[in-house]
Amino acid sequence: MYKIIRKKELVSQIYLMDIEAPRVAKNANPGQFVIVKVDEVGERIPLTICDYHREEGTVTIVFQTLGMSTKKLAALEEGDYIRDFVGPLGNPSEVVMDSVEHLAGKKIVFVAGGVGTAPVYPQVKMLKEKGIDVDVIIGTKSKSTLIFEEEFNQVAKNLYVCTDDGSYGFQGLVTDRLKKLMEEEGKAYDLCVAIGPMIMMKFVSRLTASYKLKTIVSLNPIMVDGTGMCGACRVTVGSEVKFACVDGPEFDAHLIDFDEAMRRQSMFKTAEGKKAIQMEQAAVHAEGELCELGELQK
Amino acid sequence: MKLDRVPVREQEPAKRILNFQEVSYGYNQEEAVEEASRCLQCKNPKCVGGCPVAIDIPKFIRELRDGDMKAARDTLGKSSNLPAVCGRVCPQEEQCEGKCIVGIRGTAVNIGKLERYVADWAMAEGYRNTEKAPSNHIKVAVIGSGPAGLTCAGDLAKLGYEVTIFEALHEPGGVLVYGIPEFRLPKEKVVREEIKLLLDLGVTLETNVIVGRTVSVENLMKDEDFKAVFIGSGAGLPMFMGIKGENANGVMSANEYLTRANLMKAFRSDYDTPISHGKKVVVVGAGNVAMDAARTAVRLGAEARLVYRRSEKEIPARAEEVHHAVEEGVILNLLTNPKEILVDEKGFVKGMVCVKMTLGEPDASGRRKPLEMEGTEHVIDCDSVIMSLGTSPNPLIASTTPGIETNRRGCILINEENGETTSTGIFAGGDAVTGSATVILAMSAGKKAAQGIHAEMVKKGLVPEV
């Protein structure tokens, strides 16, 4: 069992939690992820590591309540326990782990979208600690859904916020902002790192390919074990099949078959949707009705 | 002496395809005693030689026959740490029962079901024997809680070692919990209980630890003072065919399908993990895992079909499993090989192009090579495909532990005598060494390594010779 040391609602439906997991904290690095199973009947869901404190033995996760499992997780409070918390999984971010000599003089831009903004923060922070300045573009729906702005102001050389509705910063998509930076504001980059929804990473990748700008993305496919034993998370990278949990989660964006990855991500949409309805029903109705709803799934 | 064995009661096929409960009910006391009395009590028993962990079979059968159940359980416990599991999943026809003298003129004594009866009796009665040597305060780490790791841990604990098992998943048991289905091996009643008995010997279990990521073998030995390490991490990496359409929605490895069903209990509506409820499921392969996947699909309401490139004679699964699968309506398409998976406009599987095969001359391994027959392409209508082509060892531990050598297939190299790897103090056994094999062979490797570890500790002067 893993104790929730801190819980904070960053903005509506996006939560931050510090989880007590000393073994994970000791070996975690930026770019890696954990698998969380909330309770006995829960499913295993992957969440990116957003920070870690080796001395306190805690690992920070940030998640958005999208489906049933994240809702269950959000319902827990400080002092409550998560049944299973395993990691660190996947490979550490190559860019961030690279040597200072290699990184020196490189112009890097990070593109973050939605809840993907959170895992970008420790990467930028670590680079800052190594003396490497980077630009950060954050995309979000509106001012009220923006997270980590203050933190990024501390560690990013330039921070560009984009909102879909124009309520804050630049109105438009992260790709529009990146394009503007490169074409109108004279920015030249050697490397782009994009983390966010699959659709955002696809369009960032498409744009940077036209500039021949090397781009790394962190994929978030469906996972079960996260240790390479099932292949649920397989993706096609440069016509080779890779398992995102062990070969990734970071890959060269220009080699990824995004359409396939997005299609695979939606595989259980109906099953997940039904489970979510079932949980909401269970919250308002008596438990006895669960079985009936369970039948619906078949 | 009766020539034929006492039959074992089973759930009717029509009824059992509607549930995940155990197919075989096993013997009751009367049946068990009657079957036990068929044993000739050979002076020079061949059956013992057929058992990879050399259980004193005539002795436990005699004790069972004479009604001394506790003694029978103790006899099993001397050689096996998981008798309720082995009695259920061992391929006895190739092992103990294959050597039984009674089998020459009639049917072999049903050793497996008798073993199961004794182990089940003890669990039901709460009878346990936790006899062990006093602690020698020497720490040994066991990586993986499958049959190899559990056996090694149990044997070392009995010798007085302080054993910690590190398991990557959230439940111990390895293939016993994620691979073999509930209807062959009940999880709560058998696997969990049998593991609990083992932990009661004073073994510590840490789940959610992936050695190679959460902690390294080096850390365990240098920072956490483990004097020896046993790697029993199995062969969990699934293989795919590399054919067109294989990444379509609805194509999965048998490992994924079975993990969802068994470990995550996706077949129960009160558990959160979803599973694909295909109507027409094709399983590629014909090993025990393929049978398990096909029979699981039947229970989830699908029409299940096995596609295998060789003929019935070469099917690697146990005869009993194939028999059960066919009884439950699994269709066998033999001498058939997939060429391509057809995908609909939304990216889901809609069919599979196959070709008929014929068997050519035996190759170097003695097996007849399957050859494609020209002009026999045909489409099998299906909405799910489960690839059951075998597995190989996960490279994570070997690649993060300096000094450990592996062969071309990623299997860890060991000294056959004592189970030691090419790095001193680090031992290995089970599927991590052999590639996917059987539960009992993994157990026997775990036993051998426990002896090897003990011998090394004696040699180093850390423990006195027993």
Side-chain angles (χ1 to χ4, degrees):
Chain A
M1 302 286 272
Y2 302 81
K3 194 175 184 177
I4 300 167
I5 301 296
R6 183 163 73 108
K7 176 191 175 183
K8 196 177 157 196
E9 187 171 11
L10 299 177
V11 296
S12 172
Q13 296 189 335
I14 296 186
Y15 296 84
L16 176 148
M17 281 182 180
D18 283 346
I19 311 293
E20 190 174 64
R23 279 198 190 275
V24 186
K26 199 173 161 195
N27 286 291
N29 281 301
Q32 292 185 297
F33 65 95
V34 290
I35 288 224
V36 173
K37 182 170 179 287
V38 179
D39 56 23
E40 176 69 30
V41 301
E43 57 181 342
R44 294 168 66 96
I45 53 164
L47 294 172
T48 311
I49 291 171
C50 293
D51 211 347
Y52 44 83
H53 302 278
R54 302 209 199 280
E55 303 75 38
E56 288 98 73
T58 62
V59 176
T60 307
I61 50 171
V62 172
F63 59 94
Q64 190 167 13
T65 51
L66 290 170
M68 175 196 40
S69 293
T70 42
K71 279 183 187 159
K72 263 188 180 181
L73 186 56
L76 297 177
E77 300 299 336
E78 282 177 10
D80 286 346
Y81 289 84
I82 293 172
R83 190 186 187 277
D84 300 288
F85 190 87
V86 59
L89 295 160
N91 297 305
S93 158
E94 253 182 67
V95 182
V96 179
M97 304 299 282
D98 208 351
S99 68
V100 175
E101 299 83 75
H102 261 149
L103 287 164
K106 262 198 190 156
K107 295 189 185 69
I108 305 172
V109 59
F110 279 83
V111 182
V115 74
T117 307
V120 169
Y121 170 66
Q123 307 205 7
V124 175
K125 186 175 80 169
M126 195 182 227
L127 287 171
K128 169 93 180 169
E129 282 162 8
K130 288 184 176 186
I132 313 295
D133 284 331
V134 306
D135 286 355
V136 177
I137 302 172
I138 299 177
T140 183
K141 279 201 182 93
S142 132
K143 186 172 196 301
S144 62
T145 55
L146 175 64
I147 57 169
F148 280 69
E149 188 191 16
E150 241 167 78
E151 287 88 341
F152 274 111
N153 274 327
Q154 307 282 325
V155 296
K157 185 173 174 222
N158 297 296
L159 178 66
Y160 308 99
V161 175
C162 317
T163 51
D164 293 350
D165 62 4
S167 55
Y168 191 62
F170 174 87
Q171 178 176 8
L173 300 170
V174 288
T175 41
D176 299 333
R177 191 71 191 91
L178 180 58
K179 203 171 171 181
K180 198 161 169 255
L181 280 174
M182 295 182 74
E183 290 188 357
E184 295 171 23
E185 299 175 32
K187 289 273 186 179
Y189 295 110
D190 304 310
L191 181 70
C192 171
V193 179
I195 304 180
M198 203 82 94
I199 185 86
M200 180 208 94
M201 294 192 285
K202 175 187 164 174
F203 282 101
V204 169
S205 170
R206 191 182 275 182
L207 176 71
T208 57
S210 69
Y211 295 125
K212 296 197 167 55
L213 167 60
K214 189 181 174 185
T215 301
I216 305 289
V217 290
S218 175
L219 292 187
N220 48 350
I222 290 174
M223 287 191 191
V224 183
D225 61 288
T227 64
M229 61 172 259
C230 85
C233 65
R234 62 194 191 275
V235 287
T236 305
V237 183
S239 74
E240 256 184 276
V241 175
K242 300 274 186 191
F243 289 4
C245 71
V246 290
D247 300 318
E250 295 193 351
F251 293 104
D252 182 337
H254 299 153
L255 297 178
I256 290 171
D257 183 342
F258 276 105
D259 292 335
E260 179 192 272
M262 284 163 64
R263 205 190 65 217
R264 285 185 60 79
Q265 208 178 29
S266 67
M267 193 165 353
F268 286 107
K269 235 173 193 161
T270 35
E272 269 176 18
K274 279 176 185 165
K275 286 277 186 187
I277 293 166
Q278 189 179 321
M279 193 182 72
E280 276 161 27
Q281 298 275 351
V284 274
H285 298 290
E287 256 181 72
E289 289 180 46
L290 268 177
C291 310
E292 212 176 301
L293 282 155
E295 289 301 309
L296 276 177
Q297 275 176 253
K298 293 168 192 160
Chain B
M1 184 198 70
K2 283 188 188 154
L3 283 180
D4 288 326
R5 56 171 59 174
V6 176
V8 183
R9 287 164 294 114
E10 284 180 351
Q11 265 201 84
E12 290 297 319
K15 197 178 137 198
R16 72 184 190 237
I17 59 169
L18 302 174
N19 64 55
F20 277 82
Q21 280 145 32
E22 200 171 11
V23 168
S24 167
Y25 291 120
Y27 285 140
N28 62 26
Q29 212 226 326
E30 198 183 324
E31 292 160 345
V33 170
E34 191 186 339
E35 180 65 16
S37 51
R38 292 177 65 233
C39 173
L40 300 178
Q41 293 291 315
C42 302
K43 285 257 155 45
N44 178 18
K46 295 275 185 278
C47 54
V48 179
C51 171
V53 297
I55 291 174
D56 191 340
I57 292 164
K59 184 164 184 272
F60 101 79
I61 291 184
R62 186 171 65 243
E63 287 157 346
L64 161 61
R65 186 196 65 198
D66 296 345
D68 193 350
M69 293 299 290
K70 288 181 181 173
R73 179 64 182 82
D74 289 347
T75 301
L76 287 175
K78 280 212 169 66
S79 307
S80 169
N81 289 318
L82 304 164
V85 170
C86 286
R88 285 173 165 83
V89 304
C90 272
Q92 287 101 359
E93 67 274 16
E94 294 165 18
Q95 299 174 343
C96 54
E97 292 173 18
K99 296 272 166 53
C100 175
I101 298 295
V102 183
I104 297 172
R105 284 182 53 219
T107 44
V109 172
N110 201 339
I111 299 166
K113 294 293 189 293
L114 291 176
E115 178 185 24
R116 167 184 163 165
Y117 177 72
V118 172
D120 284 0
W121 170 89
M123 278 196 277
E125 293 289 315
Y127 173 71
R128 55 183 56 203
N129 186 343
T130 48
E131 213 176 291
K132 53 177 273 196
S135 172
N136 59 21
H137 305 291
I138 293 187
K139 286 172 73 177
V140 179
V142 169
I143 303 169
S145 65
L150 289 172
T151 300
C152 187
D155 280 11
L156 287 168
K158 286 180 198 166
L159 288 165
Y161 289 87
E162 286 184 14
V163 183
T164 302
I165 303 179
F166 296 97
E167 167 57 46
L169 291 172
H170 58 270
E171 284 284 337
V175 75
L176 307 178
V177 290
Y178 76 74
I180 304 174
E182 190 74 25
F183 53 83
R184 283 217 286 141
L185 184 65
K187 307 293 161 242
E188 308 251 324
K189 193 184 96 193
V190 177
V191 181
R192 211 176 253 192
E193 282 303 304
E194 202 141 75
I195 291 174
K196 197 163 156 278
L197 285 178
L198 207 116
L199 297 180
D200 283 346
L201 288 166
V203 174
T204 306
L205 169 71
E206 272 197 54
T207 52
N208 298 324
V209 176
I210 301 182
V211 176
R213 292 273 192 224
T214 313
V215 66
S216 68
V217 171
E218 220 172 357
N219 289 148
L220 289 175
M221 298 185 90
K222 282 189 182 149
D223 309 337
E224 301 194 26
D225 200 33
F226 286 98
K227 300 292 185 214
V229 173
F230 173 74
I231 302 169
S233 49
L237 211 66
M239 293 191 235
F240 286 92
M241 293 188 81
I243 57 173
K244 202 175 161 209
E246 211 170 6
N247 282 355
N249 291 2
V251 184
M252 68 209 102
S253 69
N255 262 12
E256 179 186 345
Y257 192 64
L258 291 172
T259 298
R260 286 180 184 275
N262 300 326
L263 178 71
M264 307 312 295
K265 298 192 175 24
F267 65 89
R268 282 175 57 168
S269 61
D270 52 341
Y271 279 71
D272 297 346
T273 302
I275 194 162
S276 123
H277 287 264
K279 291 274 171 278
K280 284 175 177 252
V281 176
V282 174
V283 179
V284 182
N288 287 317
V289 175
M291 298 300 153
D292 286 344
R295 295 175 68 196
T296 297
V298 165
R299 283 161 174 79
L300 289 171
E303 172 199 276
R305 184 186 299 275
L306 279 178
V307 165
Y308 179 50
R309 62 189 183 142
R310 291 190 158 92
S311 72
E312 188 168 359
K313 225 175 77 196
E314 290 84 18
I315 288 180
R318 289 184 67 191
E320 187 187 348
E321 299 309 320
V322 181
H323 171 72
H324 276 149
V326 171
E327 264 190 345
E328 290 166 9
V330 174
I331 305 159
L332 304 181
N333 283 32
L334 303 170
L335 290 165
T336 305
N337 205 34
K339 296 286 282 179
E340 183 191 340
I341 291 160
L342 301 173
V343 187
D344 71 12
E345 65 282 358
K346 284 186 172 165
F348 284 78
V349 175
K350 67 170 183 187
M352 189 161 79
V353 180
C354 290
V355 62
K356 296 296 282 179
M357 308 292 278
T358 181
L359 294 179
E361 292 299 310
D363 61 11
S365 71
R367 290 217 293 181
R368 293 175 67 191
K369 196 177 157 60
L371 303 164
E372 281 185 15
M373 288 167 76
E374 252 180 73
T376 58
E377 271 88 5
H378 57 287
V379 174
I380 294 176
D381 186 26
C382 59
D383 54 18
S384 297
V385 176
I386 298 167
M387 292 293 176
S388 180
L389 311 162
T391 54
S392 60
N394 191 321
L396 189 59
I397 294 175
S399 66
T400 56
T401 310
I404 289 190
E405 283 173 35
T406 54
N407 69 12
R408 272 184 307 123
R409 294 181 301 135
C411 300
I412 297 173
L413 298 176
I414 58 163
N415 172 348
E416 290 298 331
E417 294 297 307
N418 61 2
E420 192 161 34
T421 66
T422 46
S423 181
T424 308
I426 304 175
F427 295 72
D431 288 3
V433 168
T434 57
S436 47
T438 63
V439 168
I440 190 77
L441 286 174
M443 289 180 54
S444 123
K447 280 193 101 60
K448 193 197 281 172
Q451 287 306 319
I453 289 170
H454 183 54
E456 180 150 308
M457 296 301 117
V458 171
K459 201 172 82 189
K460 281 186 175 165
L462 293 167
V463 283
E465 201 156 352
V466 182

